[in-house]
Amino acid sequence: MSDLLYRGAEWSFETIRRSYEAIERIAEDELKLDVYPNRIEVITSEQMLDVYTSHGMPLIYRHWSFGKRFVGHESAYRRGLMGLAYEVVINSNPCISYLMEENSATMQALVIAHAAFGHNHFFKNNRLFQEWTEASGILDYLEFARAYIASCEERYGVRAVERILDAAHALQNQGVHRHSGARPTDFRAEEARARERRDHEERVFNDLWRTVPTTKADKGPDGEAERRARLGLPEENLLYFLEKQAPRLAPWEREIIRIVRLIAQYFYPQPQNKMMNEGCATWVHYRIMERLHEQNRIDDASMLEVIHSTTNVITQPGYDTGGGPNFNPYALGYAMMSDIARICEDPTEEDRRWFPDIAGNGDAIGTLKHGWAEYRDESFIQQFLSPAVIRRFKLFRLRDDTEKPYLLVDAIHDAEGYRDIRRSVARFYDPSNLYADIEVVDVDLSGDRCLKLRHRTETGHLLDEKDAKATLKHLADLWGYEVKLLEVDRTTDSVLATHIASPPRVPA
Amino acid sequence: MDIIDRRPNPHGKNLENRRRVLDRARGAVQAAARDAVAAGKLREVGQGGAISIPSDALDEPSLHRVFSSGVREVVLSGNRQFSTGDKVQRPPSGKGGGGGPGQAGGEGKGEDGFRFVLSRDEFLDLFFEDLELPDLVKRQIATTDSLAVSRSGLSSEGSPSQLDLGRTMRHSMARRIGLKRPKPELVDSLEDELATLRGVTGSEERVAAIEAELVEARRRIRRVPWIDPVDMRFRRFTVTPKPTTRAVMFCLMDVSGSMTERMKELAKQFFLLLHVFLERRYKRVELVFIRHAEVAEEVDEDTFFHDPRTGGTVVSTALQEMLRVQEERYPAESWNIYVAQASDGDNTGADTPKCASLLRDRILPQVQYFAYIEIASSGAVIRGETDLWRGYRAVADAESRMVMRQVGDKRDIFPVFRDLFAKRTEAT
């Protein structure tokens, strides 16, 4: 029994190191996981609150909204309304995992397996993360962003910086490239570029230019197609458009918008594969802990603790006990991962019918790893949500027609309902369902420079009016002129609603 | 793999962000703090505590859709009783909906608002932000009888315990360099060289030169001391007079039969507010409680507020008692004196002129501020003004140190208090 990694609940750096090594052996030899180098940091609960505040990043620039988040979390935590996570992991290279100091030795081992191997493997291999984020530069870039914004605050005042940040934050959901140009940002180059540009501006600054009379800029209305091509319209990334085209922004203001935009872009994939990511990490940690137990590296008490805390995490409350249409990503993820493993190794007749490709192929780990690498939540569910899981969660579908006084149950967990339910669940995870489809369509260059936006949607799915008004005000503030947003029907192009905002009057 | 212990890292990373939130929501937080006090949670005034502000004060808008009409499909888990085709009654106010990705803001927001836990200092800062103590400066300058010792540079003489070693050595070194005192190492190396050369033929000339050099070096070392009395520097202290920063607050209350419990409660709130306010301005605030009916007595806080008493009313007894205590224990030269009196305005007819003259001639010259609040309700009202009110008003009109206000309800307490202590722009 001297093989035990630790005894009791107390951890030390020695037990963490021993656990890590044992876990690493299993992860690499048996599961064949492919991970970034790991860095493990032990933090206190207060520091955990700080990490929560900055979206799980170790540092971020200063802004009141982070203070708001901090106060909210802190107050909920102090009142016992919210427990803190056992760990936070950062998609960076090296991959940083934060462990809470309150964790028991078992929990430290569990979260190492969960974060440092489960999440880490997912970060490194999932196509979405690979295409959209560059893990090696993010920490340096955040450092740069923080210093840059602080220096702007020093130069131009906290208020002036806050004005830009407030506006950019309001638009950050519309500040990502969703479709074209999927190319991870090279954060290092980004930082160098910003410095260079600033230097250049300072070098070429010549006050004389101000006195040169300007020529008549606009020569009448240009062709609409030509104008739109010149401005790169239509453009769905509002922050990108503002950064490049807004006429009245100072260079440092553009740089701040760029910072918010790039950080938003970095976070963009995360909600799209959260379910898979958590499912992958939970499945991996449970598998690893089970193996440790089989190898007699942890005792029965520890294994019970593992089972206990895993069960807590993967609980999916039913509709009548607080579960909404937002599934617990751990629950659904873990259920799907273990179901896929079961289908590969021990399929039923039904599985063979539904998943002829993988049923009984005997390679659970290979199949899962393929899934983790090539899919996102929506497509993963569409592909792999099996009747067995649907039955396990007792899923049913409600049709909510506001014309009718009742809700109709139109599919349940039975043979007729499986496909409908699977399609609906997948649709729920569809990114186009997460974000409003808004784009810049035109600018009245020869007239009042009014910026025209379009939200394509359908009746009954309009923007929240109050928020839209406030956000457009921010947008108008950055653009410098009037902004007009039309909500049009996706199929008929008829206008459903119009919002107009003008920039706040500033004394020139 | 690295393991890093981050626990000793600097804490309070978010203090700056937290301060910015408070700044941003200042108006709302202030209103909430004052509401909390007005609502009678006054005990908490001194502690700080949690307040809620409406969440739109810290709104972070975004463009997001809401479902309002049409058709949508929702998949839920945990089906126990439904079969395909069942019709379910629509739950009130769209439960089971949630409306998609609306929750951009994260936790900490609810329908009722956003919750702040304020420290005592933050709370009081917000609470008393635009209030000030009247007439404070004049008296403070007048009463500077306590003395404090403070550092005041250096001197070349003093007691050894006050020797400033760093500066002394700096001077010593400068002097040694200036007077070219040879370093001990130089002497050592010369001696070494001498030892190796001695007896070696052909080096007599060199030996003689070294010996001469040694003699000169030893002489200089002896002549130029390591530390000379002129190097010595001592820390110097001087005694400076310090303005008095202590205050005594007299709480005078009528506890006669006409004062109901409710009225006492109002008076108590006023006293407490004043106490907290004074504590902000003075290092030390002492409280003296004097209650009166026909006779006055000094009592402790608990008796003051809770012990029932009845009887007639002779206000002047309280004033006299206050004077007695003040003369005995709180000489006006070293104490800032505040008096707050609460009464329903009821008084024995012949006593009011006596009170007025006591106030004018003996009390007001001694005190910083005299606040009289009259708790309006019962039958002592004559044409809207009580006897005592009229008597006092004659005094208050002539004296800026005395103020009087009427309070009818809990809600009035705070406005009245603010009114009394609002910052004045060079009024008098």
Side-chain angles (χ1 to χ4, degrees):
Chain A
M1 292 303 279
S2 58
D3 259 2
L4 282 185
L5 295 168
Y6 53 84
R7 279 172 210 280
E10 291 299 312
W11 61 268
S12 67
F13 287 98
E14 190 44 42
T15 64
I16 289 188
R17 186 169 293 279
R18 264 206 307 275
S19 308
Y20 180 88
E21 279 156 10
I23 290 166
E24 187 179 33
R25 215 163 306 130
I26 297 174
E28 286 182 354
D29 300 349
E30 297 181 22
L31 302 183
K32 306 245 178 324
L33 297 184
D34 167 30
V35 296
Y36 291 123
N38 271 305
R39 200 160 95 199
I40 287 172
E41 307 194 355
V42 180
I43 59 172
T44 62
S45 55
E46 188 199 331
Q47 287 167 326
M48 184 57 102
L49 282 170
D50 286 339
V51 173
Y52 270 42
T53 303
S54 43
H55 305 300
M57 301 310 283
L59 75 166
I60 201 138
Y61 49 83
R62 290 188 168 153
H63 187 249
W64 63 266
S65 64
F66 302 120
K68 170 184 165 184
R69 220 146 288 144
F70 178 73
V71 171
H73 286 140
E74 191 190 26
S75 137
Y77 175 62
R78 301 251 181 273
R79 285 192 291 167
L81 296 184
M82 177 182 101
L84 292 180
Y86 300 111
E87 48 68 44
V88 163
V89 58
I90 297 169
N91 174 17
S92 62
N93 181 10
C95 176
I96 301 176
S97 314
Y98 290 116
L99 310 188
M100 283 269 277
E101 66 169 344
E102 279 94 340
N103 294 350
S104 66
T106 306
M107 287 311 294
Q108 300 293 30
L110 187 148
V111 298
I112 288 170
H114 183 90
F117 291 95
H119 283 306
N120 193 345
H121 173 87
F122 197 85
F123 286 145
K124 190 169 175 193
N125 292 279
N126 182 265
R127 183 177 282 267
L128 216 53
F129 280 124
Q130 276 186 321
E131 277 182 4
W132 292 91
T133 61
E134 206 240 344
S136 58
I138 182 67
L139 294 182
D140 289 342
Y141 187 69
L142 288 173
E143 189 78 58
F144 155 76
R146 184 185 165 90
Y148 186 82
I149 288 180
S151 76
C152 286
E153 283 176 348
E154 229 163 71
R155 272 187 154 178
Y156 309 102
V158 174
R159 281 265 167 275
V161 173
E162 198 170 273
R163 175 182 146 240
I164 304 296
L165 279 178
D166 285 355
H169 280 187
L171 294 165
Q172 63 187 343
N173 281 342
Q174 276 70 41
V176 289
H177 292 298
R178 290 185 218 289
H179 309 292
S180 55
R183 171 178 64 85
T185 320
D186 182 350
F187 286 117
R188 259 184 253 284
E190 193 59 41
E191 192 181 331
R193 187 195 51 75
R195 196 174 311 120
E196 196 176 296
R197 195 163 64 191
R198 232 168 23 247
D199 290 349
H200 177 74
E201 268 154 21
E202 276 167 16
R203 244 191 341 268
V204 303
F205 177 78
N206 187 341
D207 205 37
L208 274 181
W209 284 115
R210 222 172 20 85
T211 63
V212 176
T214 48
T215 50
K216 287 270 170 287
D218 277 318
K219 305 175 198 81
D222 45 358
E224 191 188 325
E226 186 202 336
R227 176 175 70 235
R228 291 175 48 153
R230 195 148 48 86
L231 293 171
L233 296 178
E235 174 60 63
E236 55 163 1
N237 189 335
L238 302 191
L239 288 182
Y240 178 79
F241 181 80
L242 287 172
E243 180 197 327
K244 299 296 178 204
Q245 309 288 358
R248 302 183 69 167
L249 293 180
W252 64 269
E253 294 173 318
R254 291 179 206 275
E255 189 65 40
I256 289 180
I257 292 176
R258 188 179 179 85
I259 286 171
V260 173
R261 177 168 78 79
L262 292 182
I263 293 176
Q265 186 82 56
Y266 170 83
F267 283 115
Y268 172 63
Q270 303 216 350
Q272 292 184 49
N273 49 22
K274 182 166 173 55
M275 186 276 290
M276 287 179 74
N277 198 348
E278 296 300 352
C280 161
T282 310
W283 187 83
V284 165
H285 91 231
Y286 192 71
R287 182 66 169 250
I288 289 177
M289 297 310 280
E290 241 178 1
R291 287 293 298 139
L292 284 178
H293 187 228
E294 282 165 22
Q295 295 170 355
N296 280 329
R297 305 302 302 275
I298 58 173
D299 57 21
D300 293 349
S302 301
M303 194 57 208
L304 281 175
E305 191 182 343
V306 170
I307 294 172
H308 176 79
S309 68
T310 307
T311 318
N312 276 348
V313 163
I314 60 166
T315 306
Q316 169 66 43
Y319 75 96
D320 47 358
T321 49
N326 293 307
F327 288 98
N328 174 356
Y330 294 85
L332 189 58
Y334 180 74
M336 286 185 69
M337 300 311 162
S338 34
D339 190 57
I340 290 170
R342 183 190 58 77
I343 292 172
C344 291
E345 274 153 7
D346 180 23
T348 60
E349 215 22 65
E350 180 187 54
D351 296 327
R352 289 189 194 281
R353 243 181 308 118
W354 279 72
F355 303 101
D357 299 347
I358 60 169
N361 68 2
D363 180 17
I365 289 162
T367 310
L368 281 172
K369 276 166 68 179
H370 171 75
W372 295 336
E374 300 297 332
Y375 291 82
R376 60 177 179 187
D377 285 357
E378 179 217 3
S379 51
F380 190 72
I381 287 169
Q382 188 64 30
Q383 187 70 28
F384 292 111
L385 185 65
S386 71
V389 173
I390 293 177
R391 280 197 301 272
R392 229 195 98 200
F393 283 108
K394 299 195 169 65
L395 298 182
F396 66 106
R397 189 170 78 176
L398 286 178
R399 192 181 155 83
D400 178 4
D401 186 342
T402 46
E403 310 256 289
K404 308 252 172 64
Y406 53 83
L407 304 171
L408 179 71
V409 178
D410 73 344
I412 64 163
H413 43 95
D414 60 10
E416 293 90 66
Y418 292 145
R419 282 186 198 280
D420 284 344
I421 284 179
R422 181 155 90 173
R423 201 173 315 117
S424 284
V425 177
R427 241 178 73 97
F428 182 78
Y429 283 93
D430 186 347
S432 72
N433 185 31
L434 291 174
Y435 303 106
D437 173 16
I438 296 171
E439 52 188 20
V440 181
V441 286
D442 202 3
V443 182
D444 185 359
L445 275 185
S446 52
D448 55 7
R449 295 186 172 176
C450 174
L451 181 68
K452 290 182 185 127
L453 302 143
R454 183 176 59 200
H455 173 214
R456 275 189 300 190
T457 180
E458 53 203 278
T459 320
H461 289 83
L462 298 184
L463 294 175
D464 179 85
E465 179 140 6
K466 192 163 144 269
D467 262 26
K469 216 182 179 97
T471 314
L472 285 184
K473 226 185 184 81
H474 281 309
L475 178 59
D477 189 13
L478 292 183
W479 176 246
Y481 301 94
E482 200 175 69
V483 170
K484 193 169 174 184
L485 170 67
L486 296 183
E487 300 198 57
V488 301
D489 193 286
R490 193 168 291 150
T491 44
T492 65
D493 262 4
S494 58
V495 176
L496 303 173
T498 311
H499 309 271
I500 296 175
S502 342
R505 284 273 142 250
V506 247
Chain B
M1 193 263 312
D2 306 315
I3 303 182
I4 302 174
D5 189 359
R6 289 275 178 217
R7 289 172 295 172
N9 276 21
H11 287 224
K13 253 190 191 174
N14 268 301
L15 286 183
E16 167 67 16
N17 287 332
R18 186 173 183 282
R19 193 188 59 72
R20 288 189 184 182
V21 181
L22 270 181
D23 265 3
R24 191 177 177 90
R26 195 169 192 85
V29 174
Q30 204 160 38
R34 288 177 181 160
D35 282 351
V37 172
K41 291 185 264 173
L42 207 79
R43 274 254 170 255
E44 286 156 30
V45 170
Q47 330 290 345
I51 52 160
S52 288
I53 63 168
S55 47
D56 55 354
L58 289 171
D59 195 24
E60 293 174 89
S62 66
L63 294 172
H64 58 90
R65 283 188 306 248
V66 284
F67 173 79
S68 57
S69 65
V71 180
R72 62 174 169 174
E73 286 165 348
V74 179
V75 176
L76 297 169
S77 66
N79 178 20
R80 274 191 302 261
Q81 70 271 44
F82 304 126
S83 315
T84 311
D86 281 0
K87 287 168 185 170
V88 186
Q89 208 179 347
R90 202 179 283 281
S93 74
K95 188 219 154 198
Q103 303 90 335
E107 282 96 77
K109 64 170 190 183
E111 295 308 310
D112 55 332
F114 192 79
R115 204 178 123 103
F116 270 108
V117 178
L118 298 175
S119 74
R120 181 192 151 100
D121 279 347
E122 283 171 338
F123 192 93
L124 295 178
D125 271 344
L126 286 166
F127 192 71
F128 292 124
E129 188 180 53
D130 45 0
L131 302 184
E132 69 174 5
L133 278 176
D135 210 18
L136 184 64
V137 184
K138 199 171 72 191
R139 181 61 63 97
Q140 265 191 350
I141 291 168
T143 64
T144 52
D145 55 349
S146 67
L147 299 172
V149 177
S150 65
R151 291 278 294 271
S152 56
L154 299 158
S155 75
S156 53
E157 50 201 32
S159 82
S161 65
Q162 297 304 334
L163 184 70
D164 186 329
L165 208 60
R167 280 182 194 264
T168 302
M169 290 318 292
R170 208 185 306 160
H171 282 109
S172 149
M173 188 190 282
R175 185 180 45 79
R176 276 180 275 131
I177 294 171
L179 295 180
K180 297 206 172 65
R181 185 185 199 257
K183 289 185 174 163
E185 299 91 72
L186 179 70
V187 177
D188 288 348
S189 69
L190 286 175
E191 278 172 348
D192 288 349
E193 197 180 349
L194 198 59
T196 52
L197 288 179
R198 191 157 278 159
V200 180
T201 51
S203 61
E204 289 82 7
E205 210 170 298
R206 177 69 187 142
V207 169
I210 291 175
E211 271 172 347
E213 210 176 317
L214 262 178
V215 169
E216 174 61 14
R218 291 212 175 100
R219 196 176 62 87
R220 281 199 91 86
I221 285 186
R222 224 175 302 119
R223 281 278 192 79
V224 183
W226 179 254
I227 293 183
D228 192 90
V230 301
D231 302 333
M232 309 277 246
R233 289 296 179 276
F234 298 88
R235 289 186 288 264
R236 197 168 66 165
F237 293 88
T238 47
V239 175
T240 44
K242 215 175 72 180
T244 311
T245 55
R246 52 184 182 173
V248 58
M249 174 180 154
F250 289 93
C251 302
L252 275 49
M253 185 165 66
D254 182 357
V255 290
S256 64
S258 54
M259 287 284 282
T260 62
E261 275 305 312
R262 190 191 65 86
M263 294 160 83
K264 279 196 221 171
E265 186 60 31
L266 288 182
K268 178 182 173 182
Q269 292 215 357
F270 185 81
F271 291 144
L272 268 170
L273 264 183
L274 185 56
H275 182 215
V276 174
F277 186 47
L278 289 178
E279 271 191 325
R280 294 285 294 161
R281 295 293 186 273
Y282 293 104
K283 266 202 188 111
R284 208 172 119 207
V285 179
E286 294 207 352
L287 282 168
V288 176
F289 296 99
I290 294 170
R291 64 172 185 181
H292 72 90
E294 285 140 354
V295 288
E297 57 183 334
E298 190 191 345
V299 293
D300 60 33
E301 184 179 355
D302 205 42
T303 323
F304 185 70
F305 287 118
H306 302 298
D307 190 30
R309 221 24 181 10
T310 55
T313 318
V314 184
V315 175
S316 64
T317 56
L319 298 179
Q320 267 159 350
E321 174 73 5
M322 181 238 131
L323 274 173
R324 186 189 66 75
V325 174
Q326 183 259 318
E327 271 156 19
E328 216 168 82
R329 305 210 298 261
Y330 304 103
E333 307 83 61
S334 49
W335 288 85
N336 293 296
I337 299 168
Y338 292 84
V339 186
Q341 185 184 9
S343 159
D344 59 356
D346 208 1
N347 197 9
T348 313
D351 189 51
T352 304
K354 198 174 162 198
C355 291
S357 72
L358 262 177
L359 258 180
R360 188 170 30 232
D361 301 334
R362 298 196 50 202
I363 297 180
L364 287 181
Q366 303 272 2
V367 304
Q368 299 287 97
Y369 207 52
F370 188 104
Y372 171 64
I373 57 160
E374 187 161 297
I375 299 162
S377 74
S378 53
V381 184
I382 309 166
R383 290 198 314 273
E385 281 188 358
T386 63
D387 195 24
L388 192 62
W389 178 271
R390 258 177 296 142
Y392 272 16
R393 206 183 50 197
V395 184
D397 285 348
E399 264 288 356
S400 61
R401 281 186 193 176
M402 177 165 176
V403 288
M404 42 201 294
R405 290 287 185 282
Q406 268 181 312
V407 174
D409 192 75
K410 218 174 203 176
R411 281 197 317 273
D412 299 343
I413 292 274
F414 194 54
V416 163
F417 185 83
R418 297 187 56 72
D419 185 27
L420 289 182
F421 292 99
K423 272 186 185 153
R424 262 146 242 186
T425 47
E426 295 298 314
T428 43

